[in-house]
Amino acid sequence: MSNILHVGLNCIEPILDMPTNRSIPNKRWHLAFTAIYSSRALYSLLNQKKKSRKLPVPSNPSFVVLNVKPEAFSSIDHSTLTAIVKDKNFNKLLEFGGIEGVADALETGIKNGIDGSVNDVAFRQEAFGSNTYQRPPAKRLFHFVVEAFKDLTILILIFCAALSLGFGIKENGAKEGWYDGGSIFVAVFLVISVSAVSNFRQNRQFEKLSKVSNNIKVDVVRNGRRQQISIFEVVVGDVVCLKIGDQVPADGLFLAGHSLQVDESSMTGESDHVEINSHHNPFLFSGTKVADGYAQMLVTSVGMNTTWGEMMSTISRDTNEQTPLQARLNKLASSIGKAGLAVAFLVLVVLLVRYFTGNTEDENGNQEFNGSNTKADDIVNSVVRIIAAAVTIVVVAIPEGLPLAVTLTLAYSMKRMMADQAMVRKLSACETMGSATTICTDKTGTLTLNQMKVTKFWLGQSPIEDSSLISTDLLNLIQQGVALNTTGSVYRATSGSNYEFSGSPTEKAILSWAVLELDMEMEILIKDFTILHVEAFNSEKKRSGVSIRSEADHNTVQVHWKGAAEMILAMCSSYYDASGRMKDMDDGERMTFEQIIQGMAASSLRCIAFAHKQIPEEEHEIRETSQKLEEDSLTLIGVVGIKDPCRPGVRKAVEDCQYAGVNVKMITGDNVFTARAIATECGILRPDQGINNEAVVEGEVFRNYTPEERMEKVDKIRVMARSSPFDKLLMVQCLKQKGHVVAVTGDGTNDAPALKEADIGLSMGIQGTEVAKECSDIIVLDDNFASVATVLKWGRCVYNNIQKFIQFQLTVNVAALVINFVAAISAGEVPLTAVQLLWVNLIMDTLGALALATEQPTKDLMERPPVGRTEPLITNIMWRNLLVQALYQIAVLLTLQFKGESIFGVNEKVKDTLIFNTFVLCQVFNEFNARKLEKKNVFKGIHKNKLFLGIIGITIILQVVMVEFLKKFADTERLNWGQWGACLGIAAISWPLGWVVKCISVSKKPFLSYLRWQEHHFLLYVCTKI
């Protein structure tokens, strides 16, 4: 095979241009130099091609073919072109030959786009760059370590560790005195490590999610074919198709389109929409959003050559967002820490008073402080020991694991939700979704499959089954109305190949029907007519219109409208019958058409009507100044019914949400009969709930209610039909005012206000516009309502897991604090040392958080009512569980403290080890109780959580090591089998105790409200006495 090399002539032309008057020797030297230079150039190019393409080269090539051509894109200076677009320099653009001149220079066909072959795309990326921007360097692990050190809890622990280390070395020497202080440092190191690594991984996860969310799909025309590609694959010269809600993927120039308005607020800060056209302002900028209309643009700059690219390269996403639950837990941790400090200070005062009043004895039973007879060194050592005991209480009181538990839970749930087709954009949405009381959902694509097909067609008052029965003139009008009033397109590679339809699902369904059943030739129609003006479809108008002029007849203008059937019908005063005759439409016939539309809608069909009007050129010129199409006295051409079947499993998902106490409301732009039929099919409505029932309402009716009527009726509404985005926003606001936590699904640009207003905004990953996605908290990747129900389940799981951990942690905190406080005041010493308490803290904070935070959602979660806005984080059920378990542990451990030596016949050192071992094993057994806050069977589904079982096993193994092998470090003594059995037996009682406790019913009124009530009445009593 031959190797074809493209060699530019620019570099060797000066060498080949030899003057004719040179001498023969000079000519020979010049030719020799030229030969050597050319040989080296060819050799270099051959090596370069081998490295880059890795093409197999024959070992003995017989010849090499050189295809020598000028350098590509040499007729255009790209930096100048980039500057023209950035500066909006229209005059300079005209000097380039206008938009057509730029397209020629970029070797782009205005209609067909670039060639689009792999080599062509690669060559353009090499010449002009790729459509990516340099991201700021990701935060390293060290950054999160530093951030963890800034936490107040950690700083207090470090201070305590320094005090303990200093006092320990002072009292016991450097060899053994470092144990307590050193162990606090080790605990701090572990907490910081887990926290920093968790936040670091979460940051990496956000980076990955950011790449996924930024990977927008863009419609381009390449080699005459419209296709979807990634935004990162867009190259200079591409022809990009834009529609309402799209993000402009690169800088470029307006080629063709209608009514295009762009929101440039992301670039300029101005909220007013900018009109784009080819006459005055053809400049489009990357990162801006299409607010109205549609168009095709020619890409002139990509990536770092755009203003958006330069701006985005300096912005890093802040992942330090603190969720509401994290804020509440930080406040809780701070409150518990303050209580611990108060108790520690009280213990310090009591112990110092006891010591200096001579109420303490040393190991030999002698009075420790004896006035001036006591050595100063002994006084210092005793005071240091007392301070160390107080520091120990502070250490055990501070629940540094609470914020960590939230981080672990959210990070784990985010990862699992991604696998369940839900991409979390805002962390707070994870937990807020668990409190949702109402879900307002779209119909199309969410409850239905979004796989549309025309199944019914009515001409006049007759259903048409065979297109051959339609008159030729009427058929031509239908084809014109479909082909020229659309944002979709039809592509066919060859005459024998299949058609490819692009556009919205509705557009594709209508185009497919017109091409395959009505034999429409779209390309011929586009050539035969000139489009004069377009009114693009949007969700408020629910219709689109176009005015066209035939190339054969310049004296008349045709106006075509297409849209919601009853809205188009209201604009008509006549209609065509099946034979093509035009007839006037009186009230009786209008009612007949309304019944036809209602009948189709009742069969779950979306009804789209086509209407037409022919006006003289002179009248069109008069109306052209107002930029408005003729909207009255139209002639109805026909009505099509489009079937969009319900998604499999959507009815069960709706029932699951309703069973969980969450109201599901459907808000749709379809007419009331279609909406009711779909809602009944999905289970949102009961079959007996008719249109006259308050459960079904139209957007206009809801809008016209008084504020008082809206607030009264909003809870009863299940379906809102013919709604505008403003109606959806109004409903969200009403529901929030009534105390609901509202989740809203949306896919259109106009859904943005409702998505922002809602507590949780859910945008659609497939049909959703970029504007909707940016306003949302969670992106539902498969557009399926079943995924919304899954998000609800995960939200409840997050909230429930955090409640489990709070109950578990507070049980240990209360028990440890009371035991050490009582022992310190009564006996003058603490039974649990700093090392032992920190080991318990480690079980709670890291291993406990990891075990309880990774529990997966269960069916039980969907059997309880939603949490709502006002319910406290620590419920009465949690108070009941944790207080009973804490009181049991306090009773057992204080008994061991004061009577343990006589009960077991052991010395004080073994007794302290028994207390420590029993305390730890109580937490291990109580960790099982924490798995279920209300259910009595705490072992249900435990085999599915391998991580939980693994952590329990690791905890027990490490506890055995602490007791049996780390005697000096942990200040323990070895225990025999009987003593181990006693510890296990005492700890195991927490299981039946937990079962019995859950039989006790509790009031729904928050526990702390009783304390406030008592305080309030006490103040009233005092005031009355005064």
Side-chain angles (χ1 to χ4, degrees):
M1 288 178 67
S2 62
N3 292 324
I4 302 175
L5 302 174
H6 302 286
V7 182
L9 287 174
N10 294 342
C11 56
I12 60 172
E13 273 178 353
I15 302 169
L16 296 177
D17 287 341
M18 292 185 300
T20 53
N21 59 352
R22 282 187 186 274
S23 63
I24 291 174
N26 280 343
K27 283 183 181 179
R28 285 174 180 170
W29 278 111
H30 194 84
L31 286 169
F33 175 78
T34 302
I36 293 167
Y37 183 90
S38 300
S39 301
R40 285 183 175 178
L42 289 173
Y43 182 76
S44 173
L45 282 168
L46 277 167
N47 283 341
Q48 192 176 342
K49 290 288 179 183
K50 282 179 185 177
K51 287 175 184 175
S52 63
R53 293 193 180 181
K54 297 184 179 178
L55 292 175
V57 180
S59 55
N60 295 308
S62 55
F63 59 88
V64 175
V65 177
L66 296 178
N67 183 10
V68 183
K69 68 170 187 178
E71 187 179 347
F73 312 120
S74 59
S75 61
I76 191 165
D77 180 13
H78 186 238
S79 58
T80 307
L81 179 60
T82 301
I84 288 171
V85 176
K86 282 184 180 179
D87 300 338
K88 294 190 175 183
N89 193 331
F90 191 72
N91 293 328
K92 195 76 174 175
L93 177 65
L94 294 176
E95 290 177 17
F96 261 84
I99 298 167
E100 292 80 5
V102 172
D104 289 340
L106 294 175
E107 299 179 14
T108 300
I110 289 176
K111 296 290 184 187
N112 293 333
I114 63 172
D115 173 62
S117 64
V118 176
N119 289 339
D120 181 37
V121 172
F123 194 59
R124 288 173 186 273
Q125 285 179 336
E126 189 177 345
F128 302 111
S130 62
N131 198 26
T132 55
Y133 51 84
Q134 296 171 355
R135 293 177 176 274
K139 292 175 183 175
R140 298 183 178 276
L141 181 61
F142 180 71
H143 169 83
F144 295 100
V145 172
V146 173
E147 287 296 314
F149 267 109
K150 293 178 183 177
D151 186 72
L152 180 63
T153 307
I154 297 296
L155 293 175
I156 292 171
L157 285 174
I158 291 172
F159 177 71
C160 291
L163 279 180
S164 184
L165 188 65
F167 293 153
I169 292 172
K170 171 72 180 67
E171 188 175 1
N172 301 316
K175 190 174 182 182
E176 294 183 1
W178 66 271
Y179 289 158
D180 284 1
S183 65
I184 299 175
F185 275 119
V186 169
V188 168
F189 170 76
L190 285 171
V191 169
I192 286 174
S193 299
V194 173
S195 178
V197 169
S198 178
N199 287 328
F200 174 70
R201 291 186 64 186
Q202 186 176 305
N203 185 67
R204 284 286 182 272
Q205 198 169 340
F206 263 117
E207 291 290 333
K208 288 179 183 176
L209 291 177
S210 179
K211 287 178 183 176
V212 173
S213 62
N214 289 338
N215 189 15
I216 301 164
K217 294 298 179 184
V218 179
D219 280 352
V220 298
V221 178
R222 289 183 175 178
N223 200 22
R225 178 188 177 191
R226 185 165 165 171
Q227 54 191 279
Q228 275 199 340
I229 62 170
S230 165
I231 190 172
F232 304 128
E233 295 172 3
V234 172
V235 294
V236 170
D238 259 325
V239 173
V240 176
C241 304
L242 299 173
K243 62 182 183 300
I244 294 177
D246 282 353
Q247 177 178 314
V248 179
D251 286 1
L253 299 168
F254 177 93
L255 282 177
H258 297 279
S259 310
L260 186 67
Q261 291 193 332
V262 173
D263 177 5
E264 294 186 353
S265 58
S266 59
M267 303 293 293
T268 63
E270 296 292 332
S271 57
D272 292 339
H273 296 161
V274 178
E275 187 175 346
I276 308 293
N277 54 53
S278 55
H279 307 300
H280 307 292
N281 180 25
F283 305 105
L284 288 154
F285 298 101
S286 177
T288 57
K289 307 290 190 304
V290 178
D292 199 6
Y294 61 90
Q296 288 186 331
M297 67 171 281
L298 173 66
V299 175
T300 57
S301 301
V302 293
M304 292 300 293
N305 292 322
T306 66
T307 308
W308 181 255
E310 291 171 4
M311 186 171 69
M312 291 303 290
S313 65
T314 62
I315 297 173
S316 60
R317 181 170 179 178
D318 183 18
T319 57
N320 293 328
E321 169 202 2
Q322 191 178 58
T323 71
L325 193 55
Q326 282 176 319
R328 287 171 74 181
L329 284 178
N330 282 335
K331 190 176 178 182
L332 178 63
S334 176
S335 300
I336 295 170
K338 287 173 185 175
L341 282 169
V343 171
F345 180 74
L346 185 62
V347 168
L348 180 65
V349 171
V350 170
L351 290 181
L352 287 173
V353 170
R354 279 173 55 89
Y355 175 74
F356 285 110
T357 54
N359 289 319
T360 56
E361 297 176 347
D362 60 17
E363 294 173 358
N364 300 320
N366 300 322
Q367 186 177 320
E368 281 192 297
F369 182 77
N370 194 12
S372 57
N373 296 327
T374 309
K375 294 179 183 178
D377 199 39
D378 291 339
I379 294 173
V380 170
N381 286 338
S382 297
V383 169
V384 163
R385 190 176 68 252
I386 290 168
I387 293 172
V391 167
T392 303
I393 290 173
V394 173
V395 169
V396 76
I398 295 173
E400 64 271 20
L402 282 178
L404 176 64
V406 185
T407 304
L408 287 171
T409 305
L410 291 175
Y412 175 75
S413 60
M414 271 180 62
K415 190 174 181 181
R416 295 305 299 264
M417 284 167 77
M418 189 71 178
D420 287 339
Q421 301 299 313
M423 188 176 78
V424 178
R425 294 185 73 251
K426 292 181 183 175
L427 268 179
S428 55
C430 284
E431 61 197 48
T432 312
M433 194 66 191
S435 306
T437 57
T438 303
I439 298 174
C440 298
T441 177
D442 285 336
K443 176 186 79 71
T444 306
T446 309
L447 297 173
T448 61
L449 284 168
N450 218 7
Q451 296 174 359
M452 300 191 184
K453 185 179 180 182
V454 174
T455 58
K456 291 270 185 183
F457 177 48
W458 286 71
L459 268 181
Q461 297 173 4
S462 307
I464 301 297
E465 301 292 339
D466 186 1
S467 61
S468 62
L469 302 175
I470 306 171
S471 69
T472 306
D473 291 341
L474 191 53
L475 186 64
N476 289 337
L477 279 179
I478 296 168
Q479 290 177 346
Q480 290 168 25
V482 173
L484 304 171
N485 186 13
T486 183
T487 54
S489 64
V490 180
Y491 174 78
R492 196 180 192 187
T494 60
S495 58
S497 59
N498 293 329
Y499 288 98
E500 292 180 18
F501 303 98
S502 59
S504 70
T506 306
E507 294 284 11
K508 287 195 285 188
I510 293 172
L511 286 171
S512 171
W513 166 72
V515 169
L516 301 177
E517 295 191 25
L518 305 183
D519 298 323
M520 181 183 78
E521 295 285 349
M522 191 164 176
E523 287 187 14
I524 295 173
L525 286 165
I526 290 171
K527 289 176 184 176
D528 289 348
F529 289 87
T530 302
I531 295 175
L532 303 175
H533 183 67
V534 170
E535 283 198 27
F537 178 90
N538 66 40
S539 53
E540 288 183 17
K541 296 182 291 187
K542 300 195 187 327
R543 62 181 185 268
S544 64
V546 62
S547 58
I548 57 174
R549 184 195 292 119
S550 171
E551 296 296 334
D553 180 9
H554 289 273
N555 295 322
T556 56
V557 172
Q558 313 269 6
V559 176
H560 284 274
W561 282 97
K562 173 184 73 179
E566 67 269 28
M567 292 188 173
I568 297 295
L569 180 64
M571 298 160 64
C572 296
S573 59
S574 57
Y575 68 96
Y576 290 107
D577 64 11
S579 61
R581 289 193 301 267
M582 187 188 295
K583 293 184 177 181
D584 290 335
M585 188 186 298
D586 58 24
D587 291 342
E589 286 168 328
R590 188 179 296 277
M591 189 174 290
T592 303
F593 279 113
E594 286 174 354
Q595 289 170 352
I596 290 169
I597 292 167
Q598 289 174 14
M600 292 168 70
S603 302
S604 305
L605 298 181
R606 170 177 282 187
C607 301
I608 306 291
F610 297 89
H612 160 265
K613 186 174 186 179
Q614 186 170 300
I615 58 176
E617 175 66 25
E618 299 81 28
E619 186 181 336
H620 172 72
E621 287 175 358
I622 294 169
R623 291 189 66 89
E624 200 171 30
T625 56
S626 65
Q627 293 289 304
K628 293 283 286 182
L629 293 177
E630 190 81 28
E631 293 185 359
D632 50 7
S633 301
L634 304 180
T635 303
L636 183 68
I637 297 174
V639 181
V640 295
I642 301 174
K643 182 71 175 175
D644 185 14
C646 282
R647 285 181 179 273
V650 76
R651 188 180 183 91
K652 185 180 183 304
V654 169
E655 287 171 354
D656 287 346
C657 290
Q658 291 171 339
Y659 187 65
V662 178
N663 295 318
V664 180
K665 300 180 188 295
M666 187 176 86
I667 303 176
T668 178
D670 281 336
N671 82 31
V672 70
F673 298 97
T674 307
R676 183 187 176 280
I678 293 289
T680 305
E681 195 176 339
C682 294
I684 294 172
L685 281 179
R686 296 191 307 274
D688 60 324
Q689 289 179 307
I691 292 165
N692 298 324
N693 191 291
E694 287 185 331
V696 183
V697 69
E698 286 193 323
E700 187 179 359
V701 175
F702 182 75
R703 198 184 317 142
N704 293 330
Y705 283 152
T706 63
E708 293 77 19
E709 285 178 320
R710 274 199 293 269
M711 293 296 285
E712 181 190 342
K713 297 182 178 183
V714 71
D715 281 333
K716 299 173 186 175
I717 295 170
R718 291 287 175 270
V719 175
M720 191 195 289
R722 281 291 177 241
S723 65
S724 70
F726 176 74
D727 299 328
K728 183 185 277 192
L729 175 63
L730 203 58
M731 176 168 272
V732 172
Q733 289 170 339
C734 287
L735 288 166
K736 285 183 72 176
Q737 285 171 25
K738 292 205 76 173
H740 288 279
V741 179
V742 187
V744 169
T745 70
D747 55 10
T749 303
N750 292 322
D751 288 328
L755 288 169
K756 279 186 175 179
E757 180 69 24
D759 296 288
I760 311 104
L762 299 147
S763 65
M764 300 296 109
I766 299 170
Q767 288 300 318
T769 62
E770 293 313 310
V771 175
K773 288 177 185 176
E774 283 194 8
C775 293
S776 66
D777 305 307
I778 296 173
I779 299 175
V780 181
L781 298 174
D782 60 355
D783 290 16
N784 192 345
F785 185 81
S787 297
V788 176
T790 304
V791 170
L792 175 67
K793 194 184 292 184
W794 269 110
R796 291 191 172 191
C797 181
V798 167
Y799 198 87
N800 193 52
N801 284 352
I802 290 167
Q803 283 188 316
K804 291 174 187 177
F805 180 72
I806 291 170
Q807 178 186 297
F808 175 65
Q809 170 126 36
L810 290 185
T811 304
V812 188
N813 277 92
V814 170
L817 207 56
V818 172
I819 292 160
N820 272 14
F821 175 69
V822 172
I825 287 176
S826 59
E829 59 184 18
V830 289
L832 297 170
T833 66
V835 175
Q836 292 169 354
L837 285 172
L838 284 164
W839 165 235
V840 175
N841 261 18
L842 177 63
I843 295 171
M844 291 188 305
D845 296 338
T846 50
L847 299 180
L850 200 59
L852 294 171
T854 53
E855 286 278 349
Q856 294 191 27
T858 60
K859 289 181 181 178
D860 299 343
L861 292 171
M862 301 297 275
E863 292 175 1
R864 61 181 70 165
V867 175
R869 292 183 189 277
T870 56
E871 190 166 327
L873 187 60
I874 306 175
T875 63
N876 286 359
I877 290 167
M878 292 166 65
W879 280 119
R880 177 197 66 190
N881 296 344
L882 76 88
L883 286 175
V884 169
Q885 291 290 345
L887 287 171
Y888 168 69
Q889 291 178 20
I890 290 164
V892 167
L893 297 176
L894 287 179
T895 303
L896 288 175
Q897 169 68 14
F898 296 110
K899 298 291 181 181
E901 291 180 37
S902 58
I903 292 171
F904 288 96
V906 293
N907 59 31
E908 187 180 358
K909 202 80 180 241
V910 175
K911 178 204 72 175
D912 287 344
T913 304
L914 284 168
I915 292 172
F916 167 57
N917 199 36
T918 303
F919 187 54
V920 170
L921 291 175
C922 277
Q923 311 323 317
V924 172
F925 281 84
N926 194 36
E927 205 160 344
F928 286 87
N929 288 329
R931 289 188 69 244
K932 306 286 182 185
L933 298 178
E934 296 179 65
K935 298 289 181 181
K936 294 173 184 174
N937 183 6
V938 296
F939 304 106
K940 186 179 179 181
I942 198 167
H943 61 283
K944 294 178 182 177
N945 195 341
K946 302 286 193 299
L947 184 61
F948 181 90
L949 294 173
I951 286 171
I952 293 294
I954 290 168
T955 304
I956 292 170
I957 291 167
L958 291 176
Q959 178 62 14
V960 171
V961 171
M962 284 284 284
V963 172
E964 298 294 325
F965 301 105
L966 298 176
K967 294 199 303 180
K968 277 198 172 183
F969 178 75
D971 199 16
T972 56
E973 288 291 326
R974 286 191 171 185
L975 301 178
N976 58 37
W977 287 105
Q979 290 161 347
W980 270 101
C983 293
L984 284 167
I986 293 168
I989 292 172
S990 64
W991 281 351
L993 184 65
W995 189 91
V996 171
V997 164
K998 286 170 186 173
C999 296
I1000 304 170
S1001 61
V1002 292
S1003 169
K1004 290 186 177 179
K1005 188 176 180 182
F1007 173 73
L1008 293 177
S1009 66
Y1010 288 103
L1011 299 179
R1012 295 192 195 99
W1013 183 84
Q1014 293 287 352
E1015 182 184 351
H1016 173 70
H1017 279 260
F1018 174 74
L1019 289 171
L1020 281 176
Y1021 174 77
V1022 171
C1023 291
T1024 53
K1025 290 296 181 185
I1026 293 171

